[in-house]
Amino acid sequence: PSEEGGLLPHASGAEEGWPLRAAVRTPTFFWIATAFFVGPLAQMGMLQHQVPLIVEAGISQAVAATALGLTAGLGGLGKLSFGRISELVPFRYAIMLCFALQALGVLVLFNAESIVMVWVYVCLFGFARGGVIVLLPLAVGHFFGLASFGVIMGTLSLILAVGNASGALISGVIYDLLGSYHYAMIAYMCLYLIAILCIFLTGEPRQYVEPDAESS
């Protein structure tokens, strides 16, 4: 029997799992792809513009630059921690927590009126951003097994990369058009909520059944 917190439910050997052609037709793949598109889009939209975002909150540029370095450093701690968290709680909850902490960090910065709130943002967002790079390969193994792990992971990584590249551009465009990053931050909080909902909708992992075996 499978466990919700396990990485490879239903898979008793390295060859078991979903082929790419079958995996991409499942709602689970769609929800994962959507979550790991909009979540990284919001993440990179914040990270690439973090210094002017913090400066816009009334904090000095020197502090903003320091905060950027600390945000990157905390990502390493997040990578280690979310790997462990994914073993302790139902797997979907680990991904949802990752996106939820990032959204909370954006909310804190959106309302920041002091340097203390900026550091709270840095701790929340920096820590949680490290989880994404760890949780995507774990999600592939968890939901689709190892049979086509490389090609499924490569497909989802491409989707994630497009999201990453889009985020920085979108933040810049919104600022140029509207004169403030606040509108981008509102949009990103909404995107994180969409990512959380998508992960919730993935459901339980299912074992792949060959079409011939299914019809017989």
Side-chain angles (χ1 to χ4, degrees), residues 22-174:
V24 298
R25 296 190 179 100
T26 63
T28 297
F29 184 91
F30 173 80
W31 296 126
I32 293 173
T34 302
F36 280 94
F37 175 79
V38 299
L41 187 156
Q43 176 181 292
M44 199 55 63
M46 290 294 298
L47 192 63
Q48 291 297 319
H49 292 257
Q50 181 169 297
V51 170
L53 277 162
I54 293 175
V55 170
E56 189 176 68
I59 308 301
S60 72
Q61 191 155 359
V63 172
T66 303
L68 180 61
L70 184 57
T71 302
L74 286 171
L77 178 61
K79 291 176 187 177
L80 295 174
S81 300
F82 274 99
R84 180 59 178 158
I85 290 170
S86 70
E87 297 173 345
L88 298 176
V89 302
F91 184 74
R92 285 183 297 164
Y93 296 168
I95 308 178
M96 292 165 69
L97 176 64
C98 177
F99 289 133
L101 288 177
Q102 290 185 52
L104 181 58
V106 177
L107 179 62
V108 169
L109 185 59
F110 183 80
N111 293 287
E113 296 178 351
S114 68
I115 193 169
V116 172
M117 295 183 74
V118 171
W119 295 128
V120 172
Y121 155 77
V122 166
C123 291
L124 288 170
F125 191 84
F127 174 75
R129 65 171 288 271
V132 172
I133 196 169
V134 171
L135 292 170
L136 178 58
L138 293 181
V140 174
H142 180 76
F143 288 103
F144 301 113
L146 297 180
S148 298
F149 178 88
V151 67
I152 294 175
M153 179 63 195
T155 303
L156 289 170
S157 294
L158 177 60
I159 293 170
L160 182 150
V162 173
N164 276 339
S166 302
L169 175 63
I170 289 172
S171 288
V173 170
I174 291 176

Side-chain angles (χ1 to χ4, degrees), residues 17-19 21-23 25 206-216:
W18 290 73
R21 66 183 184 278
R25 296 190 179 100
R206 294 186 298 112
Q207 184 176 9
Y208 175 67
V209 178
E210 290 281 356
D212 290 341
E214 195 175 33
S215 60
S216 60

